[in-house]
Amino acid sequence: MSTPLKPVTLVLGGARSGKSAFAERMVEAASAERLYIATGQAWDDEMRDRIAGHRNRRGSGWHTVEAPLDLVTALDANTRAGRPVLVDCLTLWMTNLMLGEHDIAAEFDRLRAAIPSLETPVVFVSNEVGLGIVPDNAMARAFRDHAGHLHQSIAGLADEVYFVAAGLPLKMKG
């Protein structure tokens, strides 16, 4: 028996909070067929190891699409009814946009506009970075600010929002 997902779910948490594993379990409980849209890029050995760890934990049953920059196109091209989607993660996607000097506001607008027309439930995972001190440099402050705006807008569209800390999910919406 599957556990139905809401159309849009946002899962937030800090680094190593358990947010990805929680989101994976949600999607796995909903369907035997599922899509994982990965936004991370393996720039160094540590990131390659991190990506490999995620792949190993997920195991079989997942179709993976890499979309470090064009998340909306990946969603449009790969979503279909009956196959829920996990996007992991929005802050890595945002980092890639920032480093590539893309128009972040335009990309956020594209994502917000695409979400209502998706054919299947989508679970977005993202790092909550706004709980600490104000960063000491402009790029880190811009990252924090962009993440805050993105999270607020996706949370506004989401049917459910969870915050995960120490592996424990707290339902914030829905």
Side-chain angles (χ1 to χ4, degrees):
M1 172 121 183
S2 64
T3 304
L5 287 170
K6 300 289 186 186
V8 179
T9 302
L10 175 62
V11 178
L12 296 168
R16 297 294 190 211
S17 64
K19 64 190 174 299
S20 292
F22 172 71
E24 290 163 10
R25 288 190 304 272
M26 289 178 73
V27 175
E28 287 169 346
S31 177
E33 185 184 0
R34 45 206 178 253
L35 174 66
Y36 185 95
I37 298 182
T39 62
Q41 297 184 81
W43 295 110
D44 57 27
D45 288 340
E46 186 274 334
M47 192 61 175
R48 276 187 279 283
D49 290 345
R50 192 176 287 258
I51 290 169
H54 274 247
R55 279 192 186 127
N56 290 337
R57 184 181 64 230
R58 283 194 310 274
S60 62
W62 290 86
H63 174 72
T64 301
V65 171
E66 294 184 9
L69 291 170
D70 199 349
L71 178 56
V72 172
T73 297
L75 284 165
D76 287 343
N78 293 285
T79 55
R80 64 176 187 255
R83 182 172 74 173
V85 177
L86 173 60
V87 175
D88 197 356
C89 87
L90 291 177
T91 43
L92 283 175
W93 171 63
M94 189 184 74
T95 298
N96 298 333
L97 294 173
M98 287 180 72
L99 292 175
E101 299 182 2
H102 294 266
D103 184 339
I104 293 176
E107 290 300 318
F108 287 4
D109 287 346
R110 283 184 67 215
L111 179 59
R112 282 190 297 269
I115 288 172
S117 64
L118 296 174
E119 297 178 20
T120 193
V122 179
V123 178
F124 292 99
V125 174
S126 199
N127 290 287
E128 177 52 61
V129 297
L131 299 174
I133 62 171
V134 175
D136 68 348
N137 65 79
M139 184 173 186
R141 286 189 299 274
F143 177 86
R144 181 213 48 203
D145 292 349
H146 288 312
H149 294 301
L150 178 61
H151 294 159
Q152 287 183 55
S153 64
I154 300 302
L157 294 171
D159 302 284
E160 291 184 328
V161 178
Y162 293 88
F163 183 80
V164 180
L168 301 172
L170 171 65
K171 192 171 194 178
M172 300 174 69
K173 181 180 178 182

